[in-house]
Amino acid sequence: MEYTLDFKTYNDALKKNKLLGLKCSSCRTYTCPPKMTCQECAATNLEIVEMSGKGQIRTFTQTFVAPQGRECEAPYTIVLVELDEGPWVAGNLIDIDPDKINMDLIGKKVKLGHKVFPGDQYSAGAAARPLFSFLSEGVK
Amino acid sequence: MRRVAVLGAGHTKFMFDSPQTEIEMLAEASMDAIRESNLKSKDIQAIFCGNVLGDFSEGQGMVQSYLADDIGCFNVPASKFEGACASATMAIRDAFMWVASGFYDIVLAGGTEKATAMGTSLATRTFAMFGDSRYEYPAGFTFPGVFGMLAHLYSDQYKVPLKKLKEQMALVSVQSHYYGKDNPNAQFRKEITVEQVLKGFMVTSPLQLLDCCPFSDGAAAIVLASEDIAKKLVAKPVYIAGVGQASAGKISSQYKYLPRIRSREISVKQAYDMAGLGPRDIDVCELHDCFSIAGIIAAEGLGFAEFGKGGELWEKGETKIGGKIPINISGGLKSKGHPIGATGASQVYEIAHQLRGELKDQGRQVEGAKVGLVDTLGGDGTIINLILKVD
């Protein structure tokens, strides 16, 4: 059985700042990032949709100890964002003073961009990830 | 299904930079387990082995086969189980089922790891391989990073101010070191203070150095056998009364339940139901405190505290010997160490010793303990639970 939306298609779209997800024709739940089946009811009658790319930060961490090959990125901030359509996606947060990363981030509205992780010897190539920034100015 | 018992158990010292290979460490622990069971290598019918990163740490795959040969269990079926940090517990659960089914009578189960050979940088990279490589690693996910996010989410969800939560988390590490100092197999045998935890360098917010377990080298192994054989060979068989296991997807896909780990609740219910027991019946518990916040989340998922109140167990001393539910009297992953492929076998080793009443000399005996619970987490949500019991 073929994927309705596979990693390559998702990744190619994300590189154009389009976040693709799946909408379940049975239970209407959105699945993003994509999977073979609906993440709520395991149905396979799924439709590809473009997500709004907007949502709110639900949690975060500022990482100082990076994995091999990514030391130059640290410190960086990882966020889990609850998209307006419901699912949570992982990405990074930019446009913030590293000294101002605290619990006030939770609930802040953000919008989607992207950045490509060029890959390393273990990653089977590059992969884009969502890069979130604040939806409105003045909340930095 | 027939009853299955843990007979002998073996455990190397957990440490940084072991001079031994993964196979040597596991061979020593295995022979100790076999001898303590009053058995010989030829009596072992199959081997169930946990090992995660042998390929990265010393260029050695398929350790289970070479282990079998090394310890003289020539040509027995030897299988490796990979469930990240829960690998050995996964191996033991399967070993249990093969004996319970009657297919085998006597088997060896255990695990080994040599993570410190990789160094922090490569180890951080390879441990991150047990998160989602395509949809989450590109954002720089590390294992501490996942638990850092869970800590912030916990604080927000349960309205526990971060400052208070951080103090509770520090107490988890402080208690682990308090008991670990008396465990001869522990990697760190010194006490630490809340102030030291709160002064450590930031690994990934809000987790500081002493909120995190170390990278470790070490091995542990146990022999499992059917009840009739166990009764003939050892004075005090420790029975496996219940087992549970559940899987989970990447952390973002668990959003409806976080910071609860649903797979833990499913797994431990299987184990409780099978044993006909509940959280109140557990006399001693070894749970997966890879990070301080992980210990608090685990205690809640296992039913020892209301959600959002797990930290109070440590605040009130309920997790100490004499408390409501003694937790990680071995020193836990934090102080005892966490050689990931071996950790589950180490937890079973500890509970078996507690239930046999053999830790008085070390000053860590939970008096009269008859029922113990093991909880091991692999990756973002692979959970295995075992309930052990003496008659």
Side-chain angles (χ1 to χ4, degrees):
Chain A
M1 190 184 149
E2 283 183 21
Y3 271 85
T4 306
L5 175 58
D6 62 11
F7 171 71
K8 184 176 186 310
T9 311
Y10 170 89
N11 195 46
D12 288 347
L14 186 53
K15 286 183 193 164
K16 295 172 187 153
N17 283 340
K18 284 186 182 181
L19 184 63
L20 297 184
L22 294 164
K23 187 176 182 188
C24 178
S25 306
S26 300
C27 77
R28 319 309 286 174
T29 299
Y30 290 85
T31 299
C32 179
K35 303 199 298 181
M36 174 66 87
T37 63
C38 170
Q39 88 176 0
E40 183 66 26
C41 72
T44 53
N45 49 341
L46 308 169
E47 170 197 356
I48 298 178
V49 290
E50 184 177 344
M51 314 292 283
S52 67
K54 290 177 185 154
Q56 59 167 316
I57 295 173
R58 292 303 303 266
T59 190
F60 67 96
T61 187
Q62 187 182 20
T63 299
F64 294 86
V65 180
Q68 186 184 67
R70 304 190 70 168
E71 293 87 349
C72 63
E73 296 177 48
Y76 52 85
T77 302
I78 305 172
V79 286
L80 287 182
V81 169
E82 179 179 355
L83 298 170
D84 287 350
E85 296 88 349
W88 293 22
V89 295
N92 294 119
L93 179 69
I94 50 161
D95 287 347
I96 182 160
D97 179 345
D99 294 333
K100 291 187 179 161
I101 294 171
N102 57 45
M103 288 293 287
D104 293 341
L105 280 183
I106 295 179
K108 288 279 190 300
K109 300 261 200 267
V110 290
K111 62 178 190 294
L112 178 98
H114 83 276
K115 187 175 180 185
V116 174
F117 163 55
D120 62 17
Q121 60 183 314
Y122 313 119
S123 69
R129 79 275 204 174
L131 197 62
F132 291 100
S133 56
F134 295 112
L135 189 58
S136 52
E137 297 300 318
V139 291
K140 297 172 195 176
Chain B
M1 290 210 302
R2 56 184 180 167
R3 288 227 288 175
V4 176
V6 177
L7 283 68
H11 199 299
T12 69
K13 187 166 165 42
F14 285 0
M15 63 171 75
F16 173 79
D17 200 19
S18 169
Q20 292 185 298
T21 69
E22 286 181 329
I23 289 167
E24 286 172 344
M25 291 187 287
L26 186 51
E28 288 195 357
S30 298
M31 291 308 285
D32 286 346
I34 292 168
R35 285 185 175 181
E36 195 182 73
S37 306
N38 297 307
L39 291 166
K40 295 214 167 7
S41 300
K42 65 174 174 51
D43 300 316
I44 301 296
Q45 296 170 314
I47 292 175
F48 299 76
C49 177
N51 178 242
V52 187
L53 290 163
D55 40 9
F56 281 91
S57 53
E58 55 179 6
Q60 180 66 68
M62 209 172 71
V63 295
Q64 70 280 10
S65 190
Y66 298 113
L67 169 82
D69 193 66
D70 205 281
I71 62 174
C73 294
F74 303 119
N75 308 115
V76 302
S79 307
K80 182 169 95 169
F81 291 77
E82 194 275 288
C85 307
S87 296
T89 334
M90 191 180 272
I92 291 167
R93 176 175 170 273
D94 259 59
F96 158 80
M97 289 189 290
W98 282 96
V99 176
S101 73
F103 197 92
Y104 296 125
D105 295 319
I106 304 172
V107 303
L108 176 76
T112 187
E113 205 69 48
K114 196 175 166 67
T116 73
M118 289 183 281
T120 298
S121 175
L122 179 59
T124 302
R125 174 68 184 97
T126 54
F127 277 47
M129 292 176 182
F130 305 98
D132 188 291
S133 69
R134 300 280 74 183
Y135 296 115
E136 297 190 336
Y137 184 71
F141 270 57
T142 63
F143 252 96
V146 170
F147 284 91
M149 285 192 281
L150 287 177
H152 285 142
L153 186 63
Y154 185 105
S155 169
D156 181 62
Q157 195 104 334
Y158 299 127
K159 306 298 169 216
V160 180
L162 189 61
K163 186 168 180 298
K164 182 180 168 68
L165 180 60
K166 287 272 297 167
E167 285 166 4
Q168 292 178 335
M169 287 159 53
L171 288 170
V172 175
S173 296
V174 168
Q175 185 193 298
S176 291
H177 277 254
Y178 175 77
Y179 287 116
K181 77 177 189 306
D182 295 325
N183 183 344
N185 291 323
Q187 185 166 352
F188 298 122
R189 299 193 62 188
K190 58 174 185 192
E191 286 194 61
I192 58 171
T193 64
V194 169
E195 293 69 35
Q196 283 173 305
V197 180
L198 297 176
K199 270 189 202 160
F201 77 83
M202 193 64 81
V203 174
T204 184
S205 65
L207 303 181
Q208 290 165 267
L209 179 65
L210 297 176
D211 287 299
C212 307
C213 72
F215 294 114
S216 311
D217 302 344
I222 59 171
V223 169
L224 295 176
S226 57
E227 179 178 22
D228 53 331
I229 291 174
K231 281 182 169 164
K232 285 179 201 154
L233 291 173
V234 296
K236 203 165 188 183
V238 175
Y239 295 98
I240 296 185
V243 300
Q245 180 175 332
S247 55
K250 59 188 169 293
I251 197 78
S252 61
S253 71
Q254 300 178 41
Y255 67 91
K256 286 197 172 168
Y257 301 92
L258 298 176
R260 288 166 61 169
I261 304 294
R262 187 169 187 236
S263 51
R264 174 177 277 118
E265 294 169 31
I266 292 167
S267 166
V268 80
K269 184 174 188 308
Q270 291 171 10
Y272 283 140
D273 288 352
M274 185 173 167
L277 299 169
R280 285 182 188 179
D281 301 309
I282 304 299
D283 298 319
V284 58
C285 174
E286 286 287 311
L287 58 72
H288 202 86
D289 63 326
C290 49
F291 302 98
S292 53
I293 185 67
I296 292 172
I297 289 172
E300 295 169 7
L302 298 173
F304 299 135
E306 283 177 47
F307 293 102
K309 304 205 162 172
E312 293 175 17
L313 291 174
W314 275 267
E315 278 180 332
K316 293 173 183 164
E318 299 285 14
T319 48
K320 290 190 162 179
I321 292 173
K324 195 173 81 176
I325 175 66
I327 288 175
N328 291 355
I329 307 304
S330 67
L333 280 54
K334 172 70 197 78
S335 171
K336 184 184 60 182
H338 183 29
I340 55 178
T343 284
S346 166
Q347 292 173 312
V348 171
Y349 173 98
E350 168 72 10
I351 294 291
H353 280 74
Q354 285 285 1
L355 301 187
R356 297 194 309 223
E358 292 174 342
L359 295 173
K360 287 189 182 71
D361 291 349
Q362 295 179 22
R364 309 189 288 111
Q365 181 64 46
V366 176
E367 282 302 328
K370 289 201 172 327
V371 183
L373 174 65
V374 167
D375 168 81
T376 329
L377 165 75
D380 290 347
T382 284
I383 296 276
I384 296 103
N385 294 113
L386 306 171
I387 293 175
L388 284 77
K389 194 178 161 191
V390 284
D391 287 338

